[in-house]
Amino acid sequence: MANPKKKTTKSKKGMRQWKEKINSPNLVECPHCHHLILPHHVCPYCGYYEGRPVITVEKKKKKEKAA
Ligand SMILES: [Zn+2]
């Protein structure tokens, strides 16, 4: 079994996770369908924004593999 030679310190772990944090998009929960969506955007799952429907969203299409 491969093992790390030294223990990762809290400092090193923090330095690594800080980068992961700033590169991840900020997500909020849609109040209508409770999916995670980008803030200040129309929900792509239900088409709601500020409690009212803004766009109509087509229902999920079955995935078909292109030959
Ligand atoms: Zn939604």
Side-chain angles (χ1 to χ4, degrees):
M1 283 277 282
N3 278 321
K5 204 164 195 177
K6 292 195 174 156
K7 177 182 176 179
T8 305
T9 62
K10 287 175 189 174
S11 171
K12 276 287 171 191
K13 187 177 158 187
M15 281 192 269
R16 185 180 65 236
Q17 291 185 343
W18 169 81
K19 276 187 195 168
E20 290 163 9
K21 168 83 177 168
I22 60 163
N23 289 328
S24 63
N26 187 28
L27 295 174
V28 294
E29 191 182 317
C30 172
H32 189 253
C33 67
H34 305 287
H35 273 96
L36 288 177
I37 57 168
L38 292 168
H40 312 291
H41 282 71
V42 175
C43 176
Y45 301 99
C46 63
Y48 270 64
Y49 187 70
E50 291 185 342
R52 61 193 169 86
V54 180
I55 55 169
T56 53
V57 179
E58 288 178 30
K59 288 187 179 178
K60 284 181 184 175
K61 291 174 185 174
K62 287 184 180 176
K63 286 181 182 175
E64 290 174 20
K65 287 181 182 176

